[in-house]
């Protein structure tokens, strides 16, 4: 359906400001289908804002965002219709730093919710699919547990299964290990690595885990103060960065 | 008139007080339903992103919260007929209590909805749910347990506030008591009986409130807390 030249997601001259504070400045970049991109950079560089705009949790101040060629949001053009936004958004899934599981639903209930409500899937089908997804993230036995009964790492794996249930073609991972105790980070990253090798989802990853950023990515983008400073292959950006600012950032996080 | 023994006297006044207590309960129930309906609609409307939706509801809430309930009752009782709206005393009383408590309930509803973590809404958006679905399936079920303690408290307040409608000729418990006092005298005994009946009517609500407080936070959190 989508020919090779259509990017999975595309930012065209996007600016985001809160009052006088410019979080993103004239940003243009795109992700190809099935491409894995890591966004790295200091806090406040606008990485998470990119993910949040792609998920329509924030609107650009100016510029356009497109998903598989269809408009998702437009900072300058006419206001898009809700149904068009939802059609474009259907391609995108997101996993949050704070998991954001629904506390009043069991693990499997969390995973079944959107397929039933949004896709109109029958309950039995949704349950079977949800169980398979929980098995896949290693939590098949915890299907009936409530989020408050699960560890942070388990909750985040449920959140990943929940996002997968909507079969997104672009997965946004927003600092998914930042709220976890160090000993729980590994189990979450293992799940993401196996997803990366078993699926053809595009992934846009914001992380402070530099090893993960490097291993998961086809391309690494280094940002600072709302601008892309440099981008390139992981080995190139991490081993031989072109910019002195990238170099000093990498030095500071490795220390 | 005053030479009955205490037991005899209580037996004599019991039927009138009993009828009055029933009317009090009726007023309280009808007003509670009304206040819940009005409170939910108002509380949700006040969360609207559009100021022109919020404005009339803000005006209503502040008007009813900042004026005397007694004056509200008199005003509706005497002014509504002048503008051609004829309700009987019972409906007028229930309407005013509904509007009065609805204003407070709306604040409970609004703050409970706002207390739900914004991440919950964002998770709904990320799953491409519609606004109404997110609200109904994700936000309300989490807001509702937050509302319960305050709602239980207002239910108790409402039961007591029904005595206000005695002033517009409704023979509820308080009015029944004062009629008996006018007829028999012996106010100490009669008002002690009235007092006791209010207490007995309130007890189930008090028990319910204690139960709600123990369960505060909802079943899914209680599951862990009690382990």
């Amino acid at each position: 359906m989508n020919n090779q030249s259509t990017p999975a997601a595309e930012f065209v001259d996007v600016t985001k400001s809160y009052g006088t504070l410019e979080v993103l400045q004239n940003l243009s970049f795109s992700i190809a289908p099935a491409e894995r991109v890591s966004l790295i950079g200091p806090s406040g560089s606008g990485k998470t804002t990119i993910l949040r705009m792609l998920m329509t949790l924030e609107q650009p101040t100016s510029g356009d965002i497109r998903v598989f060629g269809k408009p998702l949001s437009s900072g300058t053009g006419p206001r898009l219709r809700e149904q068009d936004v939802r059609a474009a958004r259907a391609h995108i899934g997101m996993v949050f730093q704070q998991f954001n599981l629904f506390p009043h639903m069991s693990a499997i209930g969390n995973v079944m919710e959107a397929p039933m409500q949004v896709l109109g899937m029958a309950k039995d089908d949704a349950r079977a699919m949800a169980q398979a997804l929980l098995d896949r993230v290693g939590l098949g036995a915890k299907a009936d547990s409530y989020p408050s009964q699960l560890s942070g790492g388990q909750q985040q794996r449920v959140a990943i299964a929940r996002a997968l249930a909507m079969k997104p073609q672009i997965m946004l991972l927003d600092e998914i290990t930042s709220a976890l105790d160090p000993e729980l980070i590994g189990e979450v990253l293992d799940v993401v690595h196996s997803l990366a090798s078993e699926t053809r989802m595009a992934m846009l990853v914001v992380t402070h885990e530099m090893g993960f950023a490097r291993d998961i990515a086809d391309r690494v983008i280094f940002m600072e103060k709302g601008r892309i400073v440099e981008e390139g292959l992981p080995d190139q950006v991490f081993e031989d960065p072109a910019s002195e600012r990238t170099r000093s950032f990498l030095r500071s996080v490795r220390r | 008139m005053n030479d009955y023994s205490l037991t005899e006297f209580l037996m004599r006044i019991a039927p009138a007080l009993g009828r009055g207590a029933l009317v009090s309960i009726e007023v309280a129930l009808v007003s509670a339903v009304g206040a819940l309906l009005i409170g939910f609609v108002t509380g949700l409307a006040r969360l609207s992103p559009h100021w022109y939706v919020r404005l009339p509801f803000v005006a209503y809430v502040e008007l009813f919260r900042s004026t005397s309930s007694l004056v509200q009752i008199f005003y509706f009782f005497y002014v509504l007929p002048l503008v051609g709206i004829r309700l009987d005393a019972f409906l007028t009383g229930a309407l005013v209590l509904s509007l009065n408590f609805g204003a407070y309930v709306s604040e409970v509803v609004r703050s409970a909805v706002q207390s739900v973590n914004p991440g919950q809404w964002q998770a709904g958006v990320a799953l491409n749910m519609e606004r109404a679905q997110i609200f109904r399936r994700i936000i309300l079920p989490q807001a509702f347990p937050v509302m319960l303690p305050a709602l239980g408290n207002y239910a108790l307040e409402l039961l007591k506030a029904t005595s206000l409608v005695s002033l517009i000729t409704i023979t509820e418990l308080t009015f029944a008591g004062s009629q008996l006092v006018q007829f028999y005298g012996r106010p100490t005994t009669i008002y002690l009986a009235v007092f006791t009946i209010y207490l007995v009517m309130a007890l189930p609500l008090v028990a319910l409130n204690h139960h709600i407080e123990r369960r505060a936070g909802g079943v899914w959190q209680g599951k862990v807390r009690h382990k």
Side-chain angles (χ1 to χ4, degrees):
Chain A
M1 190 176 85
N2 301 297
N3 65 45
Q4 283 307 84
S5 61
T6 308
E10 188 177 16
F11 281 61
V12 184
D13 206 20
V14 171
T15 295
K16 175 69 182 177
S17 43
Y18 299 101
T20 54
L21 177 70
E22 281 210 331
V23 187
L24 291 175
Q25 300 175 31
N26 306 99
L27 184 86
S28 293
F29 81 103
S30 61
I31 314 165
E35 188 184 21
R36 280 72 196 253
V37 176
S38 288
L39 292 170
I40 60 170
S43 301
S45 57
K47 312 177 299 283
T48 287
T49 305
I50 289 178
L51 298 200
R52 292 177 59 82
M53 285 203 291
L54 206 41
M55 199 67 260
T56 69
L57 300 173
E58 309 267 1
Q59 295 298 315
T61 309
S62 67
D64 292 301
I65 303 172
R66 288 192 278 267
V67 172
F68 289 107
K70 286 179 287 189
L72 179 79
S73 42
S74 173
T76 37
R79 201 181 164 81
L80 297 167
R81 290 185 308 169
E82 166 93 3
Q83 64 205 79
D84 294 333
V85 173
R86 289 185 71 232
R89 195 167 65 192
H91 297 291
I92 307 173
M94 184 163 182
V95 181
F96 298 89
Q97 180 177 356
Q98 299 294 340
F99 329 137
N100 295 347
L101 289 183
F102 305 135
H104 56 303
M105 298 179 188
S106 62
I108 198 164
N110 266 272
V111 183
M112 292 163 65
E113 179 65 14
M116 288 174 63
Q117 296 291 326
V118 179
L119 307 178
M121 196 181 274
K123 189 167 189 176
D124 290 344
D125 298 342
R127 181 173 293 277
M129 180 186 70
Q131 184 64 53
L133 285 168
L134 288 174
D135 287 341
R136 184 166 174 183
V137 299
L139 290 171
K142 296 282 187 184
D144 295 322
S145 299
Y146 281 78
S148 58
Q149 298 167 312
L150 299 173
S151 73
Q154 290 170 331
Q155 289 186 58
Q156 194 59 296
R157 283 145 68 196
V158 173
I160 292 170
R162 181 175 70 173
L164 288 174
M166 294 300 281
K167 302 189 169 54
Q169 288 164 279
I170 308 169
M171 183 69 96
L172 312 176
L173 305 179
D174 185 15
E175 303 195 24
I176 60 169
T177 58
S178 297
L180 296 176
D181 292 335
E183 73 271 21
L184 302 177
I185 291 175
E187 65 187 65
V188 171
L189 295 187
D190 287 348
V191 166
V192 176
H193 277 298
S194 72
L195 281 180
S197 62
E198 292 161 16
T199 70
R200 283 188 41 79
M201 274 187 307
M203 291 185 180
L204 189 52
V205 179
V206 170
T207 182
H208 293 296
E209 297 278 324
M210 288 304 132
F212 177 54
R214 182 174 180 169
D215 293 344
I216 198 81
D218 302 317
R219 178 160 55 114
V220 175
I221 297 178
F222 173 71
M223 294 185 62
E224 195 179 57
K225 292 177 185 156
R227 291 175 190 277
I228 293 177
V229 174
E230 81 171 277
E231 58 183 302
L233 297 172
D235 286 349
Q236 179 249 310
V237 172
F238 279 95
E239 294 303 328
D240 186 23
S243 159
E244 176 49 39
R245 283 182 287 169
T246 314
R247 210 180 291 274
S248 80
F249 170 75
L250 290 173
R251 260 202 312 275
S252 73
V253 294
R254 273 172 187 155
R255 199 182 299 135
Chain B
M1 218 192 276
N2 272 351
D3 47 6
Y4 298 110
S5 76
L6 181 62
T7 322
E8 273 177 330
F9 185 62
L10 288 178
M11 294 295 282
R12 283 194 86 84
I13 63 173
L17 290 182
R19 282 194 298 275
L22 272 182
V23 174
S24 290
I25 291 173
E26 282 167 19
V27 173
L29 283 178
V30 173
S31 307
V33 172
L36 279 178
L37 286 175
I38 294 170
F40 263 85
V41 170
T42 305
L44 300 185
R46 289 196 58 183
L47 293 166
S48 164
H50 308 294
W51 66 267
Y52 48 85
V53 176
R54 295 194 303 267
L55 187 66
F57 290 95
V58 173
Y60 147 64
V61 169
E62 295 311 332
L63 185 68
F64 273 82
R65 285 205 307 177
S66 50
T67 55
S68 148
S69 342
L70 188 55
V71 175
Q72 289 164 17
I73 287 182
F74 280 143
Y75 196 81
F76 271 65
F77 188 64
Y78 291 111
V79 173
L80 283 188
L82 295 183
V83 296
I85 303 174
R86 294 192 187 284
L87 299 175
D88 64 20
F90 182 91
L91 277 182
T92 306
L95 177 67
V96 175
L97 287 177
S98 296
L99 286 168
N100 190 294
F101 278 82
Y104 292 99
V105 168
S106 76
E107 289 293 281
V108 173
V109 171
R110 182 173 68 97
S111 64
V113 168
Q114 284 176 330
S115 76
V116 176
N117 188 323
Q120 294 291 306
W121 185 275
Q122 293 165 13
V125 171
L127 292 166
N128 210 18
M129 294 172 76
E130 287 170 31
R131 298 167 64 91
Q133 288 174 332
I134 298 174
F135 199 77
R136 184 169 47 84
R137 300 281 309 173
I138 311 300
I139 305 299
L140 264 192
Q142 296 184 60
F144 197 64
V146 180
M147 298 174 201
L148 285 181
L151 290 185
N153 203 26
Y154 280 127
L156 202 53
E157 290 287 327
L158 175 59
L159 179 64
K160 295 183 290 181
T162 55
S163 65
L164 291 175
V165 303
S166 64
L167 294 160
I168 54 169
T169 74
I170 300 175
T171 314
E172 44 65 73
L173 181 55
T174 304
F175 195 36
S178 55
Q179 281 177 325
L180 289 170
V181 170
Q182 282 180 16
F183 191 72
Y184 291 108
R186 297 180 79 161
T188 325
T189 313
I190 292 171
Y191 280 122
L192 185 63
V194 168
F195 193 90
T196 310
I197 296 172
Y198 272 116
L199 189 63
V200 169
M201 291 195 297
L203 282 179
L205 280 175
V206 173
L208 185 68
N209 283 350
H210 276 283
H211 181 69
I212 288 168
E213 252 167 56
R214 275 201 309 277
R215 294 272 301 262
V219 187
W220 62 90
Q221 284 166 19
K223 265 186 182 168
V224 168
R225 193 171 299 165
H226 292 300
K227 262 189 177 167

